[in-house]
Amino acid sequence: MSSIRFTDVTVTYDERTVLENINLELHERRIGIIGANGGGKSTLIRLINGLGDPTSGTVEVNGLDVTTNGKEVRKQVGFVFADAENQIVMPTVAEDIAFSLRRMKLPKVERNQRVQHALDRFGLGAHADHSPHLLSGGQKQLLALAAVLVLEPSIIIADEPTTLLDMRNRIKIRRIFDELSQQLIVVTHDLDFLQGFDRVLCIDDKRIIADGKPDEVIACYTSLMGKYPH
Ligand SMILES: Nc1ncnc2c1ncn2[C@@H]1O[C@H](COP(=O)(O)OP(=O)(O)OP(=O)(O)O)[C@@H](O)[C@H]1O
């Protein structure tokens, strides 16, 4: 299993500290991250593939410092954005999935097979030749996941991957996630989705305030939410 290590990580934007002195080792296969809006969840996961740099401290992925080895780390870490629209680069759904495979320089036959498998797996086959921009919000979310999973990265990070999905697709994504052998880190407000995960972290006020099995961390988060004024 892959390994991610945060050592004394602080992130400050315009003199406002968003994460403070985070020390963390992530080895488990399925890890969830929850917490209040604006708490620093996306900031934390973006550090794992160098989408942001720590203001101080280090983040390592499989022994590589992310700040100095960004390119190598990004080959190992697939990132699914919360706004799937950000990930669309090609004129058709099939080409969009194929695009991410280009840099792997696979033989054409294998590339086509992988694209077809991804289209089938995510129920997008009927839309293969359509413009991704014409897909529904949930279908775009499925496409964004497909385009990352097709690369088979050793770590997959997904920022709120189920927000726009109907129940059927949510169950489908959960099943796909359960079948993955890779390490998976999911930021979500969908607490039920985390049942059965190996570890959940709750982030609030710059720090990790709970870290453990889903039930105990969700209980902590629920009680925290109750303390906010309505
Ligand atoms: N590039 C940036 N420049 C300035 N401030 C930023 C930047 N990125 C994030 N922030 C701020 O950092 C704080 C944490 O944002 P972040 O997106 O990490 O929170 P989050 O826990 O993922 O929130 P949500 O649940 O709403 O998605 C927010 O107050 C946000 O405004």
Side-chain angles (χ1 to χ4, degrees):
M1 191 50 59
S2 297
S3 124
I4 298 166
R5 175 180 291 148
F6 286 67
T7 308
D8 297 332
V9 169
T10 293
V11 175
T12 303
Y13 294 122
D14 306 325
E15 296 179 15
R16 194 163 64 89
T17 298
V18 176
L19 293 173
E20 188 164 79
N21 206 25
I22 304 285
N23 285 285
L24 198 56
E25 291 209 23
L26 303 172
H27 302 290
E28 294 76 7
R29 191 164 72 83
R30 285 171 306 170
I31 298 170
I33 301 181
I34 59 176
N37 289 135
K41 301 177 297 298
S42 296
T43 301
L44 183 110
I45 56 168
R46 289 166 71 89
L47 295 171
I48 301 173
N49 78 340
L51 282 165
D53 286 325
T55 309
S56 62
T58 54
V59 180
E60 289 161 276
V61 172
N62 294 331
L64 294 172
D65 184 322
V66 175
T67 305
T68 49
N69 300 275
K71 206 170 166 195
E72 188 52 42
V73 167
R74 277 187 282 278
K75 284 186 194 156
Q76 301 179 34
V77 183
F79 197 100
V80 186
F81 288 87
D83 182 356
E85 197 77 46
N86 282 341
Q87 267 179 252
I88 295 171
V89 283
M90 295 300 281
T92 73
V93 170
E95 285 174 285
D96 202 63
I97 296 173
F99 179 79
S100 41
L101 284 171
R102 273 192 193 169
R103 66 168 193 238
M104 290 176 87
K105 301 196 173 23
L106 297 171
K108 198 171 174 196
V109 174
E110 192 185 336
R111 195 170 74 205
N112 291 344
Q113 278 170 350
R114 281 217 208 178
V115 171
Q116 192 55 51
H117 176 67
L119 287 167
D120 294 343
R121 193 180 191 192
F122 286 88
L124 293 169
H127 300 285
D129 300 322
H130 296 167
S131 164
H133 296 286
L134 298 179
L135 296 177
S136 72
Q139 287 167 334
K140 283 181 196 157
Q141 229 167 7
L142 294 172
L143 173 61
L145 272 168
V148 168
L149 291 192
V150 77
L151 293 167
E152 300 179 0
S154 63
I155 300 169
I156 295 152
I157 300 178
D159 198 356
E160 302 190 30
T162 62
T163 40
L164 299 171
L165 299 185
D166 65 25
M167 196 189 286
R168 187 179 41 123
N169 279 323
R170 187 174 166 280
I171 291 168
K172 181 194 292 193
I173 293 304
R174 181 56 211 258
R175 201 176 56 237
I176 289 171
F177 281 179
D178 284 346
E179 287 165 2
L180 290 175
S181 57
Q182 295 110 307
Q183 189 177 30
L184 175 72
I185 300 175
V186 180
V187 167
T188 189
H189 294 288
D190 178 355
L191 302 179
D192 290 341
F193 193 79
L194 299 175
Q195 286 306 327
F197 268 44
D198 303 302
R199 181 175 176 188
V200 176
L201 310 173
C202 178
I203 301 185
D204 192 59
D205 195 19
K206 306 171 226 165
R207 292 187 187 81
I208 293 161
I209 58 153
D211 179 354
K213 292 288 175 198
D215 283 348
E216 64 194 64
V217 177
I218 288 168
C220 176
Y221 172 64
T222 310
S223 103
L224 171 80
M225 286 290 109
K227 288 183 192 145
Y228 278 91
H230 295 290

